[in-house]
Amino acid sequence: MALSIQQQRIVQHPYDRHAVALAVAGSGKSTTMVERIAVLIEAGQFDPSRVIAVMFNKAAADHLKESLVKRLGKRNAPASLTFHGLGTQVLRRLTLGGFAEQWDFIGDPSRAERFTAEIITSACKQYGHKYPRRVARDFLGFIDRVKSDLKEPAEVFANGDWPARYDWFVSWYRQFEKERQQKGIRLFSDLIYDPVRIMTGNPEAAAYISGALDHLILDEYQDIGHCQHILVKFCAAGNERSPHARVMAVGDDDQTIYSWRGAKVEYILRKFHEDFTDGSIYQLNRTWRYGHALSCAANYVISGNSDRADKLCISGDKAPNTELFLEYDVPIGGKPKIVSIVENYLASDGNITDMVVLVRSYSKSASSQFDLLEHGIPFRIEGGDEASVLENKWVACLLGWMRLAAGQVAIHPYQGEPDIGSIIETNKFVNVPSLGIGWDNSGILAKLVLQHPEDGEGFSKFISRHVATQNQGQADRVAKRGKIWRKYRAVGKSRNYPKPAHLLKDLLYHLDIEKQILQETGKQEEADELMSLLEAFIEYVKVNSKGKSLPEFMDHVQDLLDTSDRAKKATSALLITSCHRSKGMEWLCVIMPSLWQGAFPIVPRTIDPAKIEDHLQDERRLFYVAMTRAKRALYLIAPRDPKLHPWLTAGKGGNCDSVIPFVKNPGTASQFLYESNLFLAKALPLIIAGAKGRDSVKASSPELLNQYLEELNIDFRVEKIEQGVS
């Protein structure tokens, strides 16, 4: 592939200077990095062992390594590692030098949670937390953030969003670190934190590492945290035998979407230049992924952020024509909008695997999942079973109790041992919300319930055989669950079925689902997400159970589950994934549903008013990343907001923080749609082509579009009109 002028400048950057390359989505940065490294090895004659490429994830590191081997040959291809791989390499050298000890590494998240739970068990008892394993997940998140920021635990806690009941995390951070080091254990974050800690506290260790490299090429630098930045500084340091390594950081400040784990735009925009002085700044602002209309709309959206580099994304000459569609979330011919979009795309000879549905949160995809299931469109969800609405454990729990009330579960006592499938299915609702009896005992309870379903006898037998006499609290919980079993099994046997929606409301009350979810998650935001998914399920039951008896509706749900199971086995299925997971990917057709204020941007219930601006900048970057995954078509599905159309037809765009209230409002379209200047962006390809009538195009906010035209050396300018829509 021939390099563009911008790419050539980066590839030929002087060997003795640092550099930052700001690369927009689809600008060919991977190709540029490969050629830059090739020039260092071939023309600069640098030893490949003294050149290293650092990528943000293993897949990217492996892909770059393959490209380097193909370009330079196996012998001349330098190492391509992740940041954690770089930390591991430094730790290995520190160990050989006697500055670090060879400790055991726990990389599996489940094992890390178990290890953490063992350490904090006494704290959980002291502070009233029944389930240390659940707390361990949040505690590990806090530990990781402290190590990423390299700040005092109290400061990290104060600036984070951890619940007040976890304030003991601050004091227990050092206790945890003490025990971790005594046990000789390293978790994932320690692969970076430990070498930085050792070198920060021991100048001899830092000197031992220095001088080993001549060049570092660092990808996705907008996503790094402070600890990673310090690791780079140590690795680039020189000594009396070897000068400092030259560092080239590549990334896009507009794609900084991991602030919740410590990433900040300031590292690529400012910190890099403070620590690696006299460096050059390059821009790769030509994209070959998508066309002018999408580039323009994306520019308008991201221009609402104040903390960013001054740059425009411009589509290259060979970029495809990308069509933008604003779709209102109303049925067409009795079909939901997302179904119509998919079917029309397939009818035009499109392939379902070329499409993706990108969601801000999986809970907001629930209604789309139901629509696709009902119309037989196979889909798969990237994000685990909990992301699937029908397989979410809380929905599965409610469905289990509804089947019991429909007379479809435990109709007769099992003779002998129940099959493992029946035990698993029964456990999904009998032990949810959790009874706190442990994994093994939950299976025993399910088995006894199936063997002795009459009058809740199975629950009584479990209490007498498997609950300690002194554990009255546990006995009471199991007995209460037995009463619920008796109630709904009696409904099923009587065949006096309630309406499905009424039954569901009754279940939510008796199981106290909302309170149980909050207790289990420990975070209001996570609980709100789960409740949002449940609300979509409840709404589905209300609308789709009309005219159906309870057994008929449960048969209908089983049909949906069967469709979901077939979709998992299908070789061709529509992908549903999160905007975060989409980073680095691209598809011919992208669908973004549920674009209403509160869903995207998400409006956290507990957000500090002082942090709203930063939060909106994070959300805006994520929206920018999601929309720039499209190559041929981008569908934006929003509520029929009466103010949106006149706003867009007036050619208005830019930051709408002061126009659209930062509140949850399903009737108001996302403020990012207001900011997109979508109609003017759609006119841009015609303006560039010199189409007839372009002289009549006027807009309230034409400034960015005119800058775009200027960068393309096109003399035409859109006239600014002062009147607009308020």
Side-chain angles (χ1 to χ4, degrees):
M1 174 178 148
L3 297 178
S4 69
I5 294 175
Q6 289 182 334
Q7 290 172 322
Q8 289 175 23
R9 288 172 182 157
I10 296 171
V11 168
Q12 298 298 333
H13 171 70
Y15 304 143
D16 60 347
R17 296 187 65 190
H18 304 300
V20 166
L22 299 174
V24 302
S27 60
K29 67 183 176 70
S30 296
T31 299
T32 306
M33 286 190 293
V34 168
E35 290 305 311
R36 169 61 180 175
I37 293 170
V39 165
L40 291 174
I41 304 301
E42 293 176 340
Q45 297 185 341
F46 288 96
D47 183 343
S49 67
R50 295 180 62 83
V51 177
I52 196 168
V54 185
M55 314 297 285
F56 203 74
N57 59 60
K58 190 175 186 303
D62 290 344
H63 179 72
L64 185 70
K65 182 66 175 179
E66 290 175 7
S67 299
L68 289 171
V69 169
K70 184 177 180 180
R71 174 68 176 81
L72 294 166
K74 193 170 183 178
R75 176 180 295 181
N76 290 323
S80 175
L81 305 170
T82 64
F83 277 96
H84 288 90
L86 178 62
T88 301
Q89 187 180 84
V90 173
L91 267 174
R92 192 177 298 121
R93 291 185 59 209
L94 289 171
T95 301
L96 290 174
F99 298 102
E101 297 182 54
Q102 186 81 42
W103 288 353
D104 292 332
F105 171 58
I106 299 178
D108 178 69
S110 295
R111 283 189 61 208
E113 283 185 12
R114 286 198 299 271
F115 170 79
T116 304
E118 290 173 4
I119 293 178
I120 65 172
T121 293
S122 61
C124 289
K125 288 181 180 178
Q126 179 182 351
Y127 294 102
H129 305 293
K130 293 181 180 178
Y131 309 111
R133 183 73 183 273
R134 295 176 189 168
V135 178
R137 182 184 58 178
D138 292 328
F139 186 66
L140 270 177
F142 175 71
I143 294 288
D144 290 350
R145 187 61 188 270
V146 172
K147 292 177 178 179
S148 174
D149 291 355
L150 294 180
K151 292 180 179 178
E152 287 298 311
E155 183 180 355
V156 172
F157 190 89
N159 292 327
D161 59 354
W162 289 273
R165 65 179 177 279
Y166 286 160
D167 58 1
W168 57 271
F169 281 8
V170 174
S171 59
W172 265 80
Y173 171 82
R174 287 185 172 80
Q175 178 65 27
F176 175 84
E177 279 296 278
K178 179 182 178 182
E179 293 197 36
R180 177 184 74 84
Q181 293 172 27
Q182 286 175 346
K183 295 175 186 293
I185 295 294
R186 287 195 175 97
L187 305 181
F188 203 62
S189 60
D190 299 314
L191 298 180
I192 297 175
Y193 174 73
D194 274 359
V196 168
R197 173 179 59 84
I198 291 168
M199 291 186 291
T200 300
N202 188 339
E204 290 185 21
Y208 185 78
I209 293 300
S210 65
L213 296 171
D214 291 326
H215 285 273
L216 285 91
I217 289 51
L218 310 166
D219 191 26
E220 304 288 4
Y221 210 72
Q222 78 279 353
D223 288 329
I224 70 157
H226 189 58
C227 195
Q228 291 164 308
H229 181 75
I230 298 301
L231 178 65
V232 170
K233 284 180 61 178
F234 278 122
C235 291
N239 55 35
E240 66 277 2
R241 300 181 305 278
S242 179
H244 283 66
R246 300 303 164 185
V247 183
M248 177 178 284
V250 183
D252 182 5
D253 53 295
D254 291 330
Q255 297 187 64
T256 305
I257 60 173
Y258 299 118
S259 61
W260 45 273
R261 67 186 186 199
K264 295 184 178 69
V265 293
E266 67 182 69
Y267 290 105
I268 194 168
L269 292 181
R270 294 177 290 277
K271 290 286 187 183
F272 181 90
H273 302 288
E274 292 172 7
D275 293 323
F276 302 103
T277 57
D278 300 324
S280 302
I281 300 176
Y282 298 96
Q283 285 195 7
L284 282 176
N285 74 335
R286 292 295 192 273
T287 181
W288 285 271
R289 177 182 295 164
Y290 42 84
H292 295 299
L294 181 48
S295 281
C296 188
N299 284 328
Y300 268 103
V301 170
I302 201 62
S303 69
N305 278 5
S306 57
D307 194 10
R308 61 183 297 265
D310 183 16
K311 65 181 185 299
L312 283 182
C313 176
I314 307 289
S315 295
D317 295 337
K318 296 181 180 180
N321 176 39
T322 309
E323 294 187 90
L324 308 182
F325 301 93
L326 175 60
E327 302 284 350
Y328 293 115
D329 198 4
V330 292
I332 297 180
K335 290 184 178 180
K337 183 56 61 74
I338 192 169
V339 171
S340 298
I341 292 171
V342 174
E343 290 184 345
N344 290 340
Y345 185 81
L346 297 179
S348 63
D349 295 326
N351 192 315
I352 198 167
T353 57
D354 293 330
M355 308 179 76
V356 69
V357 177
L358 296 183
V359 294
R360 173 59 184 88
S361 64
Y362 288 112
S363 68
K364 302 300 184 293
S365 74
S367 59
S368 296
Q369 291 181 46
F370 280 123
D371 292 339
L372 295 168
L373 285 169
E374 283 208 310
H375 289 81
I377 296 175
F379 65 88
R380 62 185 179 88
I381 301 179
E382 191 177 83
D385 289 342
E386 288 294 291
S388 171
V389 61
L390 289 178
E391 295 180 35
N392 176 274
K393 81 171 189 177
W394 298 100
V395 174
C397 158
L398 292 168
L399 287 173
W401 289 108
M402 292 175 76
R403 288 193 192 96
L404 181 67
Q408 296 176 346
V409 175
I411 302 170
H412 304 291
Y414 265 80
Q415 300 301 318
E417 287 284 312
D419 61 278
I420 188 65
S422 296
I423 292 173
I424 292 173
E425 288 303 310
T426 303
N427 193 37
K428 284 182 180 179
F429 68 97
V430 166
N431 193 44
V432 178
S434 176
L435 293 168
I437 58 178
W439 173 253
D440 291 336
N441 277 341
S442 67
I444 293 171
L445 174 60
K447 185 188 298 185
L448 287 171
V449 166
L450 290 170
Q451 290 172 327
H452 308 279
E454 298 291 345
D455 297 322
E457 185 182 353
F459 292 88
S460 301
K461 287 184 178 295
F462 179 83
I463 292 171
S464 63
R465 297 175 186 177
H466 300 283
V467 178
T469 306
Q470 66 272 24
N471 198 342
Q472 189 59 45
Q474 189 176 92
D476 290 344
R477 289 194 298 274
V478 176
K480 183 178 180 181
R481 194 65 52 86
K483 289 180 181 178
I484 298 175
W485 171 277
R486 286 199 300 274
K487 174 179 178 177
Y488 292 112
R489 189 167 186 274
V491 171
K493 290 185 69 177
S494 71
R495 298 191 178 185
N496 184 22
Y497 306 118
K499 292 182 179 180
H502 293 169
L503 171 62
L504 189 54
K505 183 178 180 181
D506 197 47
L507 282 167
L508 290 166
Y509 171 76
H510 283 292
L511 294 170
D512 202 5
I513 292 290
E514 186 168 2
K515 179 182 177 182
Q516 295 293 334
I517 286 176
L518 181 57
Q519 285 183 350
E520 182 166 315
T521 59
K523 286 187 177 181
Q524 187 65 58
E525 283 184 31
E526 290 184 23
D528 286 347
E529 280 296 294
L530 285 171
M531 283 308 301
S532 180
L533 186 145
L534 277 180
E535 286 163 6
F537 170 64
I538 294 165
E539 183 63 24
Y540 181 83
V541 174
K542 285 181 182 177
V543 173
N544 293 276
S545 65
K546 292 177 180 178
K548 295 184 179 77
S549 68
L550 179 59
E552 288 172 339
F553 180 70
M554 297 316 297
D555 289 341
H556 168 73
V557 171
Q558 187 58 51
D559 289 341
L560 297 183
L561 283 165
D562 292 342
T563 300
S564 179
D565 287 339
R566 287 193 298 271
K568 290 178 184 176
K569 300 172 185 175
T571 54
S572 296
L574 177 66
L575 174 64
I576 300 177
T577 191
S578 70
C579 297
H580 279 100
R581 284 176 175 264
S582 74
K583 189 161 179 290
M585 308 291 285
E586 59 182 33
W587 292 269
L588 291 181
C589 176
V590 171
I591 304 171
M592 295 175 65
S594 302
L595 297 181
W596 47 270
Q597 193 73 353
F600 205 162
I602 278 181
V603 180
R605 185 192 298 187
T606 57
I607 191 168
D608 182 345
K611 296 180 180 179
I612 288 177
E613 183 178 349
D614 288 341
H615 173 74
L616 279 172
Q617 296 212 25
D618 287 341
E619 292 286 293
R620 192 175 283 112
R621 283 189 285 264
L622 187 58
F623 193 91
Y624 173 85
V625 165
M627 67 192 302
T628 55
R629 302 307 98 191
K631 297 176 69 176
R632 296 285 182 181
L634 173 65
Y635 290 88
L636 305 161
I637 305 179
R640 190 181 285 281
D641 180 347
K643 294 183 178 180
L644 180 61
H645 185 83
W647 177 282
L648 293 176
T649 53
K652 293 177 73 73
N655 191 304
C656 288
D657 290 355
S658 60
V659 178
I660 309 299
F662 185 67
V663 294
K664 206 171 190 176
N665 187 349
T668 298
S670 165
Q671 70 178 79
F672 302 142
L673 290 177
Y674 278 84
E675 294 173 0
S676 68
N677 212 332
L678 198 61
F679 290 1
L680 185 61
K682 290 171 69 173
L684 178 59
L686 298 176
I687 293 172
I688 291 173
K692 185 178 179 180
R694 72 174 185 175
D695 291 341
S696 63
V697 177
K698 297 178 175 61
S700 295
S701 306
E703 292 83 2
L704 274 179
L705 183 140
N706 285 336
Q707 289 179 37
Y708 196 104
L709 294 172
E710 184 177 353
E711 283 223 21
L712 292 177
N713 294 317
I714 295 174
D715 291 336
F716 179 81
R717 298 292 180 268
V718 171
E719 182 182 340
K720 181 179 176 65
I721 54 175
E722 296 304 326
Q723 70 271 21
V725 179
S726 61

